[in-house]
Amino acid sequence: MTDTATGQSPDQLTTVHLVTLGCARNEVDSEELAARLEAGGFRLVDDPQEAEAVMVNTCGFVEQAKKDSVDTLLAAADLKEQGSAKAVVAVGCMAERYGQELATSMPEADAVLGFDDYADVAEKLNRIMHGEQHQAHVPRDRRSLLPLTPVARREAASAVSVPGHHTERPSLADVAPASGPRILRRRLGNSPSAPLKLASGCDRRCAFCAIPAFRGSYLSRTPEEVLAEARWLAEQGVKEVFLVSENTSSYGKDLGDLRSLEKLLKDLSAVDGLDWIRVSYLQPAELRPSLVEAMVGTDKVVPYFDISFQHAAPSVLRRMRRFGDPESFLKLIEQVREHAPQTGIRSNVIAGFPGETEADVQTLKDFVTEARLDVLGVFGYSDEEGTEAASLDGKVDPDEVERRRAEVADLATELCDQRAEERVGELVEVLVESVTDDDGEPEVIGRARHQGPEVDGSTQLVGIEPAIGDLVKATVVDSLGVDLVAEVRPRG
């Protein structure tokens, strides 16, 4: 058997291993890169020890993520001595954000590729493998690449490289529908759940966030492209699609229809083979009543709200260049739970933002207590270069930031554990994700409808030996932190 792109047998192809760091959006980008590399004559391998090239899809969101990316690149570079690797290449957000600076500071990486290199990534990697020096890019504010007005971006979008937006040369062969958009994606795992990118970039100007500068302005994928990829994922055995973007509630603002997401959810629900549709990263200021109703009233859309609150004190939110207050946030939560009492609600907050007072911390704690969220991530503020917040006055001492973070995090852990305990006795539907042998007894782990992938806890099933990808109805009999234990109902 020979590779159609090169005429070589698989064992003659150059092997490459992809490492993905960061968020689910990066997972989609990695699978796009995998498809490009495979179409360009490379063979993907799961074991980095077998790879002749290691490509690290980096994260550059916060300092810890950047450190993890550097550590991973250094570990990959060790494979040039301990394995078969001949080249280590950095891609992704950190690579795009720092470009030439990263290449200079990390000689262990043989090349740093930005988003503009993705279209020709196979060709670029082939040159690197043959000893050619790649000249890393000088970073620029990618918001300048598209028109300021969202509806004017569609015509200009084809000239801009945006990961996850598949405007491809016809010669790039991959799985595609008989008509409509081509799907340029190669799955790197066999999970029954897969992220599906709705859009890239962000138009918000949150003072603490650098993402818009290196991800660019908000750009929605067309409904046709999203639906084609959803059908393709279902054909690959995916049961749940996890809709991701930097800001999902803005979907369609550049398509001329602010209710595009409501319509898209209905169309996705009609895709054969899909059982669950999960929506992530919603802005509270954009959660219009019609969207809430669509999320709780559309078949296959699971009752799950990932809402970005970030804080509750109005003065802190204003400094963050965000909107809201405890009353409006609690009213939104109440509206959601009126529609779907069993819904899962998760969020993230930042403690120690410049100008935050002890009274603001108390406001945040009071809100968290009353909100009864299912999952809450609590992060301590730190200056992020290139952001407005880095230049703000009123900085909180780092030790005090950590004290406040720990205080809110401890409260959140206690409250979220209580929320899970309240689900004992509840009937849940669980998507099975793993079945392993534990001392002769099968251990079946999955997620209930209110639990998002990886970050929201899991549900252990007892009383059944299902297969991965099965949907099983069970009754919650115990909770372990935010994790649940559920017993499968007897048939009949």
Side-chain angles (χ1 to χ4, degrees), residues 234-314:
E235 291 168 2
Q236 307 303 305
V238 169
K239 300 297 184 182
E240 174 192 37
V241 289
F242 186 34
L243 307 183
V244 299
S245 72
E246 273 75 24
N247 178 10
T248 302
S249 45
S250 280
Y251 179 76
K253 63 184 291 186
D254 52 330
L255 300 175
D257 186 353
L258 286 175
R259 297 199 174 186
S260 293
L261 183 54
E262 289 93 312
K263 297 174 183 177
L264 180 62
L265 292 176
K266 182 178 179 180
D267 291 338
L268 283 169
S269 184
V271 173
D272 290 338
L274 289 184
D275 293 306
W276 287 3
I277 301 161
R278 188 178 301 275
V279 184
S280 74
Y281 213 80
L282 303 163
Q283 292 291 338
E286 296 178 350
L287 259 178
R288 51 199 176 272
S290 64
L291 180 54
V292 173
E293 291 168 7
M295 289 180 62
V296 298
T298 302
D299 185 36
K300 297 185 182 180
V301 178
V302 297
Y304 176 83
F305 284 75
D306 175 14
I307 308 174
S308 175
F309 290 122
Q310 300 299 353
H311 211 282

Side-chain angles (χ1 to χ4, degrees), residues 40-237:
F42 288 85
R43 178 164 64 91
L44 278 296
V45 293
D46 295 329
D47 186 352
Q49 293 284 346
E50 299 177 3
E52 296 166 87
V54 179
M55 184 170 287
V56 180
N57 190 352
T58 60
C59 178
F61 180 38
V62 293
E63 197 61 37
Q64 184 59 51
K66 289 183 281 189
K67 183 181 183 301
D68 291 344
S69 294
V70 169
D71 290 345
T72 303
L73 286 166
L74 291 173
D78 289 342
L79 293 173
K80 288 189 281 187
E81 295 182 3
Q82 303 167 2
S84 57
K86 298 179 177 64
V88 173
V89 177
V91 296
C93 290
M94 187 177 178
E96 172 61 38
R97 185 176 180 184
Y98 294 101
Q100 198 173 80
E101 179 185 346
L102 179 62
T104 301
S105 63
M106 277 211 67
E108 294 86 355
D110 297 276
V112 174
L113 305 183
F115 296 154
D116 291 332
D117 295 311
Y118 281 24
D120 301 311
V121 68
E123 181 182 341
K124 297 280 176 67
L125 182 56
N126 186 54
R127 291 177 182 175
I128 294 163
M129 296 296 293
H130 285 84
E132 184 174 313
Q133 293 294 313
H134 176 77
Q135 183 62 45
H137 65 284
V138 176
R140 54 181 168 170
D141 190 331
R142 295 188 72 84
R143 289 171 292 191
S144 65
L145 302 180
L146 291 171
L148 183 63
T149 306
V151 293
R153 293 174 188 164
R154 306 312 307 173
E155 291 184 11
S158 61
V160 178
S161 179
V162 183
H165 291 241
H166 311 313
T167 50
E168 298 308 317
R169 297 188 297 265
S171 59
L172 272 174
D174 202 347
V175 179
S179 62
R182 301 178 72 84
I183 306 306
L184 187 65
R185 183 170 177 177
R186 194 265 203 195
R187 294 208 72 201
L188 293 173
N190 58 1
S191 169
S193 176
L196 176 55
K197 185 177 284 191
L198 291 188
S200 290
C202 186
D203 288 341
R204 302 186 74 87
R205 294 295 182 265
C206 300
F208 53 81
C209 184
I211 288 176
F214 58 83
R215 275 290 183 178
S217 299
Y218 196 88
L219 186 67
S220 303
R221 296 177 71 192
T222 65
E224 294 77 17
E225 188 177 329
V226 174
L227 287 166
E229 190 162 318
R231 295 187 191 101
W232 179 80
L233 288 169
E235 291 168 2
Q236 307 303 305

